[in-house]
Amino acid sequence: MTATRPDGPAPAAPNTVMRELRGDLSPGEFATAVRRAAREIGEHVSCDARYVGRVEAGEIRCPNYAYERVFRHMWPGRSLTDLGFAPRTVVRRRASDGGPAAAPPLDDPQWPDEEIDDVRRRTFLRGGPTALAAALGLDGPAQAAAPPPLAARPELPAPRKVGAAEVRGVEQAVRDIRLLDDAHGGDTLFERAGQSLRNAYLLLNDGSYTAATERRLQAGAGELAISVGWLAHDSNRLMDARSFYSEALATARMAGDAALEAHVFCNSAFLARDAGRPREALRAAQAGQAAARRLGSDRLLSLLSLREAGGWALLQDRAACEQALTRAHTLFDRGGRSTDPEWMSFYGEAEIAGLEAQCWAALGGWDRASERAGRAAGLQQPHFVRNRALYTAELAHDRLGRGDLRGAAEHAEAATLLLDRVRSARIRGMLAHTAGRLREHRRMPEVRRFLDVHRSARTAA
């Protein structure tokens, strides 16, 4: 849906200047350079290869103010027009009386994206779970693939004073995204949730607030960066996840926030493990424990010990892995405390069993891995749909490792049947690997049934 303008929508013209400035760098490498330049001047932008592509295609005719400052830092002395962009006043298309023209939908690239950002900021700050689900396109099964367009833009006297209401909005957005992730997985959430992160950093960088509000806003923005990083991880966008975690760690370090730092290292250790970087996983888990010791949460230390165990398992150090597992159980058995982080609501006996299964699978202990994975799947609470699919897919992998082809096929089929409710590239990749291993055994009825179900699911996706 396109907003009506007197002369109609202007076709996008490629931004050849920005393409030339990128030179021999890939879009991803160029995006990394933009984020690095942003950090040099204290800005926070979520630039990725997709954003670079939109700029070069001319879809973004005028960047928002944060990007403008970054680009001018990268190329001193150049104006927006020197960089191939249209003047801000032209893109805004002011009416003759000085008021704004007809409003664009949120996905209209012809308007300056700082105005679009404000609409989205209001959505996630004021909406609550239902409004956020609608904004992310997840308010119903039929809308899971794309958000409904919004054709009306509210008046935009963007408040520069940031207070408790705005901070609560950021904190609630974090909670809502986590709830939606538990139910739907990361694929459909990642890019749209990233917009909420940009909005949070706009508040942090452009707002006016007290010292107390700043601390809460920094913590909220950092947690939001971790949430978006996790969505990237679950979507198999591992480099994007690494970048978002770096943003969150920078925020934690600048704010002196040990709780946020421990959370970043916890997720970074998991990411490094999945990316096949065991020593990095180990270092991140140990750094997270150092930060967490100041927080008085045995449950957090328990989870970080399990992250450490995962690193030792990949390094094939069985003794060190078992020591870390024992420590994790001892800490968990001390019980929960009021100091346990809110984001750890997923951490219970099911998660412990699932992480143990990963360790034993890495060590080649397929019987133990299968037993733990089965326990994880059986204990998982119904509303953690993504984790139920994950543990069941891991159980299939472990049964395959121990040579139980029939069991592997049955559990892989059960996990595949959950994919109509979960969008997770990570889980799809696990099931595709299992399907590839089982294909030569297609004569077995259970295997043939799984392969047929898996093929149908891939076609539907």
Side-chain angles (χ1 to χ4, degrees), residues 241-297:
R242 189 180 177 92
S243 175
F244 283 114
Y245 290 158
S246 295
E247 294 284 348
L249 182 59
T251 301
R253 290 280 173 82
M254 287 187 289
D257 190 330
L260 182 59
E261 184 174 335
H263 190 181
V264 176
F265 280 129
C266 184
N267 280 39
S268 296
F270 194 17
L271 173 66
R273 177 201 172 281
D274 278 4
R277 298 191 297 268
R279 294 194 182 280
E280 182 181 320
L282 196 60
R283 289 193 295 268
Q286 291 169 344
Q289 290 173 70
R293 289 188 187 102
R294 295 173 268 167
L295 305 175
S297 171

Side-chain angles (χ1 to χ4, degrees), residues 74-96:
M74 296 175 73
W75 297 284
R78 297 202 186 195
S79 66
L80 284 178
T81 53
D82 293 333
L83 295 171
F85 295 105
R88 198 173 300 279
T89 52
V90 172
V91 180
R92 280 182 174 170
R93 313 282 290 182
R94 293 287 180 181
S96 59

Side-chain angles (χ1 to χ4, degrees), residues 206-375:
D206 297 341
S208 173
Y209 35 69
T210 65
T213 297
E214 180 181 21
R215 286 192 295 273
R216 284 184 61 190
L217 191 55
Q218 284 179 314
E223 288 291 343
L224 197 51
I226 293 173
S227 292
V228 177
W230 164 247
L231 295 176
H233 182 174
D234 197 45
S235 304
N236 269 349
R237 299 172 170 95
L238 302 190
M239 291 304 296
D240 285 328
R242 189 180 177 92
S243 175
F244 283 114
Y245 290 158
S246 295
E247 294 284 348
L249 182 59
T251 301
R253 290 280 173 82
M254 287 187 289
D257 190 330
L260 182 59
E261 184 174 335
H263 190 181
V264 176
F265 280 129
C266 184
N267 280 39
S268 296
F270 194 17
L271 173 66
R273 177 201 172 281
D274 278 4
R277 298 191 297 268
R279 294 194 182 280
E280 182 181 320
L282 196 60
R283 289 193 295 268
Q286 291 169 344
Q289 290 173 70
R293 289 188 187 102
R294 295 173 268 167
L295 305 175
S297 171
D298 290 326
R299 289 286 168 90
L300 177 55
L301 286 169
S302 173
L303 176 56
L304 286 161
S305 295
L306 279 168
R307 297 285 190 242
E308 179 184 340
W312 288 123
L314 286 181
L315 290 170
Q316 299 300 299
D317 191 330
R318 185 187 184 102
C321 177
E322 290 184 334
Q323 288 176 5
L325 289 175
T326 299
R327 186 167 67 251
H329 278 283
T330 300
L331 288 163
F332 182 84
D333 290 343
R334 292 178 182 175
R337 298 186 184 183
S338 60
T339 50
D340 294 338
E342 181 181 344
W343 57 266
M344 289 187 65
S345 59
F346 71 94
Y347 187 59
E349 292 185 6
E351 183 71 9
I352 292 175
L355 294 178
E356 278 192 283
Q358 292 177 356
C359 290
W360 289 115
L363 290 168
W366 296 112
D367 288 343
R368 285 193 182 184
S370 181
E371 186 273 327
R372 298 297 195 279
R375 177 175 171 79

Side-chain angles (χ1 to χ4, degrees), residues 12 36 49 102 106 108 130 145 156 169 207 239-240 256 272 284 304 337 346 351 384 386-387 397 405 433 455:
R36 185 185 305 116
L106 291 187
D108 188 344
T130 303
L156 296 173
M239 291 304 296
D240 285 328
L304 286 161
R337 298 186 184 183
F346 71 94
E351 183 71 9
F384 288 110
R386 192 267 319 287
N387 281 1
H397 171 74
L405 303 181
H433 174 76
R455 184 178 61 253

Side-chain angles (χ1 to χ4, degrees), residues 193-212:
Q195 184 61 55
S196 295
L197 176 61
R198 292 178 62 192
N199 294 332
Y201 277 123
L202 280 175
L203 293 179
L204 186 60
N205 293 326
D206 297 341
S208 173
Y209 35 69
T210 65

